[in-house]
Amino acid sequence: MPERLYFTGDDAADTLLAKNPLALLIGFALDQQVPVPTAFLGPRKLEQRLGGLDAAAIAGMDPAELDTVFREKPAVHRFPGNMARRVQELCATIVSEYGGDAAQVWTDAADDADLRRRIEALPGFGEMKVKALGSVLAKQFGVKAAQGLVPNHPTLGDVDSPEALERYQAAKRAHKAKMRAQA
């Protein structure tokens, strides 16, 4: 297990992502329409504002209270209301399907097909997030069941330093620009 994931540039946030499986899943849930560091700083902001990250506690919160936590300055996400709902749905799924233990999403997976099914069943996790999370699990955490999910292009799983994050983000911007130009 890595000491930290180099996704944010903040030591506490990066360490939390490596040590807390729920934080990692919340970061991936928030990784939508914001830069990678912004998305993955979200779990640390939530931990600070809530006094910890507990799937059952977040799932059981009054939605309006969680919305307020997401909107507190600086906001957890560009779309705080939608993401508060998404994170609460994610936590409810972790509680109902995995007894509140987020790591069971991958530790109990029989193989790559089972892991794919488990990740796809999480609210807000589509094909791109399956590949990105699978790549992180395989390359950073050594999860055998995730090996078959790793695509043949760079992903967050390849980010192992601040410089690698910069290279990843530059490549991602270039790819998106190319896709827009072809559209």
Side-chain angles (χ1 to χ4, degrees), residues 64-158:
E65 182 182 340
L66 186 58
D67 184 271
T68 299
V69 168
F70 266 74
R71 291 178 189 280
E72 182 182 314
K73 302 287 184 205
V76 172
H77 193 276
R78 178 178 170 195
F79 302 107
N82 288 336
M83 289 300 145
R85 281 189 297 280
R86 168 97 27 96
V87 167
Q88 192 161 42
E89 291 169 3
L90 171 64
C91 289
T93 299
I94 296 301
V95 170
S96 67
E97 299 298 318
Y98 303 102
D101 182 358
Q104 284 187 13
V105 171
W106 54 88
T107 58
D108 291 353
D111 54 26
D112 62 337
D114 185 33
L115 181 56
R116 173 181 293 282
R117 181 192 57 74
R118 288 165 175 257
I119 297 171
E120 285 175 340
L122 298 173
F125 282 68
E127 182 62 23
M128 287 176 52
K129 288 186 185 182
V130 167
K131 290 176 181 177
L133 177 56
S135 186
V136 169
L137 293 173
K139 294 179 178 186
Q140 300 289 332
F141 292 91
V143 175
K144 296 271 188 251
Q147 295 295 330
L149 304 180
V150 178
N152 61 0
H153 58 78
T155 68
L156 279 173
D158 300 304

Side-chain angles (χ1 to χ4, degrees), residues 168-180:
Y168 169 76
Q169 289 182 294
K172 189 174 175 181
R173 282 190 299 273
H175 176 72
K176 285 184 176 183
K178 180 180 174 185
M179 297 306 285
R180 281 192 299 272

